[in-house]
Amino acid sequence: MGRTLALVLPVVLVLSGTLAVTRVSWSGNDSSTSALAASSEDVSRRAPSRTPQDVLRDRLLVELQEKSPGVALTHLQEAVNDRPSLGRHCASIARALGRAAVRAYGPVRAQSFARPVCDTSFASGVAARQT
């Protein structure tokens, strides 16, 4: 009888401990769904795709920091020439470049990079950042 109890007792304790751990709400909320089910739902959602103009703007902002606003403006003009559908976003991208140029170079030096890309949107971005 003692040997049987010595063999059965650890098995019962392991099983009851395992069941107790699976019933604990590890996520911190009192919902009846398990934490594993909640996390698998989060993983199955796709990240929102980025628009071409967002990708271009982010690339040009990095280029402005690493090279110069002049290089970024040249590449903006080339991108709009290559993909005319980006033309309607050109002004907002140029204004964002102007604001970033003021942060990186100061208002006077940033204005020196201005050129007629997308009308004068870069200059208006510089001017807007000054006020």
Side-chain angles (χ1 to χ4, degrees):
M1 175 97 161
R3 286 185 183 177
T4 305
L5 186 59
L7 181 63
V8 173
L9 187 60
V11 172
V12 169
L13 290 174
V14 167
L15 287 177
S16 64
T18 303
L19 292 174
V21 168
T22 60
R23 297 300 299 161
V24 172
S25 175
W26 294 103
S27 62
N29 57 13
D30 293 328
S31 67
S32 62
T33 60
S34 70
L36 287 176
S39 65
S40 67
E41 290 172 6
D42 292 341
V43 171
S44 66
R45 282 190 233 139
R46 294 186 80 180
S49 61
R50 297 182 55 203
T51 61
Q53 63 269 16
D54 291 340
V55 172
L56 176 63
R57 184 191 63 242
D58 293 346
R59 182 173 55 87
L60 293 174
L61 287 170
V62 168
E63 206 167 53
L64 181 141
Q65 295 293 322
E66 292 176 352
K67 296 179 182 172
S68 76
V71 172
L73 286 170
T74 299
H75 289 157
L76 173 60
Q77 187 64 54
E78 291 171 354
V80 170
N81 290 343
D82 292 343
R83 290 184 67 183
S85 63
L86 292 171
R88 63 184 157 159
H89 305 286
C90 186
S92 66
I93 294 171
R95 275 191 299 277
L97 290 173
R99 290 188 298 269
V102 170
R103 284 191 301 272
Y105 297 96
V108 174
R109 185 151 181 234
Q111 189 63 40
S112 71
F113 291 103
R115 59 179 73 164
V117 176
C118 308
D119 297 326
T120 57
S121 297
F122 178 83
S124 69
V126 170
R129 184 68 181 162
Q130 290 176 359
T131 58

